Amino acid sequence: MKLSVNLNKIALLRNARGENYPQIEYFANKAIDLGVDGLTLHPRPDHRHATSDDVINISKLTKARGVEFNIEGNPFSKPNKEFIGFCELTDIIKPEQITLVPDAIDQITSDHGWSSGSHDSELKNLIHLLKENSNDAQVSLFIDNIEGVDYAAEMGANLIEIHTGAFAKAINDKNLSIIDEIKKIIDHAISLNLKINAGHDLNLNNLHYLVEMGNINEVSIGHAIIVDSLHYGFEETISKYLEIIRK
Ligand code: PXP
């Protein structure tokens, strides 16, 4: 299993003061030095955390350091003031992975996955174009149920990212039946030749359940890594996550 560290929260902290401190590049390099497999940014059209420039700079850094860059966001987000636009950004940076999320502009965080709707044919065309214009990036659809797996296959995605918000809540409530639900999603994705990523609300307490399930290509983790860094420091925190993942 690979670990992609989401650096959005470092951008959020930086933006609180308007200067370039803390510097995202510094923590990007540190995470790579410690052995993470990739970095993720999820720029929002209002630039409230990662900006378009951050995406361009960090994707250059990951290319130079030989790790993967994963850009997350809504492919229908158009250019808006300083925001370059989601598809426009992917054309510029040629990321290794593009994770599409159906988030609304004012949504606090990604809280649901894709489902069928009036956007279907436009999304399918966009996925085709995203692959073509980015030298065959792997395209992943954020999903939160088994129907989402069929939808991702229909849309031409290479991967699904399982939204693990409900999983994290259930584990927190000691409701382990969620494990079988996630396993069903994994098995169905395998049967359709889709690779499997997972993300949202993963932390040091729930991550090992996913590792034990097997067949997960990558987890993307942001919020808990920054919170845990307040306790343990960034380096020790990344090492703790890698220790669980590499078991
Ligand atoms: N995956 C997606 C699609 C997300 O939007 C986010 C949050 O930006 C994450 C994973 C990471 O979630 P968390 O910050 O809770 O680890």
Side-chain angles (χ1 to χ4, degrees):
M1 185 191 275
K2 297 189 277 184
L3 172 64
S4 185
V5 174
N6 180 320
L7 298 171
N8 269 18
K9 286 282 145 68
I10 297 176
L12 187 72
L13 200 55
R14 177 204 57 199
N15 295 354
R17 282 295 173 97
E19 301 290 337
N20 191 16
Y21 179 77
Q23 249 195 346
I24 305 189
E25 287 81 358
Y26 174 83
F27 288 97
N29 276 313
K30 249 199 172 357
I32 297 168
D33 290 342
L34 291 161
V36 307
D37 306 281
L39 298 176
T40 293
L41 285 176
H42 187 147
R44 306 262 176 182
D46 60 6
H47 276 180
R48 63 182 184 260
H49 31 58
T51 65
S52 299
D53 282 348
D54 290 331
V55 170
I56 292 169
N57 293 338
I58 297 298
S59 67
K60 276 190 195 147
L61 187 152
T62 51
K63 278 206 188 343
R65 298 283 322 261
V67 301
E68 292 182 5
F69 185 72
N70 173 44
I71 181 172
E72 290 175 354
N74 190 324
F76 300 121
S77 295
K78 301 282 177 237
N80 175 23
K81 297 182 192 145
E82 310 274 290
F83 178 62
I84 288 178
F86 186 83
C87 293
E88 291 77 359
L89 263 174
T90 60
D91 287 356
I92 295 170
I93 65 169
K94 317 269 184 249
E96 284 69 34
Q97 188 168 274
I98 304 170
T99 302
L100 304 181
V101 186
D103 51 358
I105 281 183
D106 53 356
Q107 209 167 297
I108 192 160
T109 186
S110 318
D111 64 3
H112 64 282
W114 288 97
S115 54
S116 179
S118 56
H119 52 264
D120 291 357
S121 62
E122 205 183 340
L123 181 62
K124 196 170 182 174
N125 288 339
L126 274 180
I127 290 175
H128 183 74
L129 279 176
L130 285 170
K131 285 182 180 170
E132 216 170 62
N133 295 345
S134 62
N135 301 339
D136 269 338
Q138 296 281 295
V139 176
S140 173
L141 284 200
F142 196 53
I143 60 112
D144 55 15
N145 54 38
I146 205 144
E147 290 77 26
V149 181
D150 293 310
Y151 186 66
E154 236 173 84
M155 292 297 110
N158 309 93
L159 299 109
I160 51 161
E161 179 180 328
I162 303 174
H163 178 7
T164 43
F167 161 82
K169 257 199 187 75
I171 297 294
N172 198 39
D173 296 342
K174 307 214 172 0
N175 172 12
L176 298 188
S177 65
I178 190 77
I179 292 173
D180 282 338
E181 284 175 44
I182 301 285
K183 277 186 181 159
K184 278 186 197 143
I185 294 179
I186 293 174
D187 288 345
H188 193 45
I190 292 172
S191 77
L192 294 177
N193 271 330
L194 292 165
K195 286 213 247 173
I196 300 127
N197 290 346
H200 224 283
D201 298 320
L202 295 177
N203 60 38
L204 290 172
N205 299 323
N206 58 32
L207 186 56
H208 71 96
Y209 291 102
L210 287 185
V211 176
E212 284 153 20
M213 281 180 218
N215 293 313
I216 296 181
N217 168 63
E218 179 179 277
V219 285
S220 153
I221 310 182
H223 187 75
I225 285 182
I226 301 310
V227 176
D228 290 329
S229 296
L230 297 174
H231 292 286
Y232 307 114
F234 188 71
E235 292 188 16
E236 196 179 327
T237 297
I238 297 287
S239 301
K240 280 178 185 288
Y241 278 85
L242 286 174
E243 203 179 307
I244 297 172
I245 279 168
R246 304 279 190 247
K247 258 189 192 145

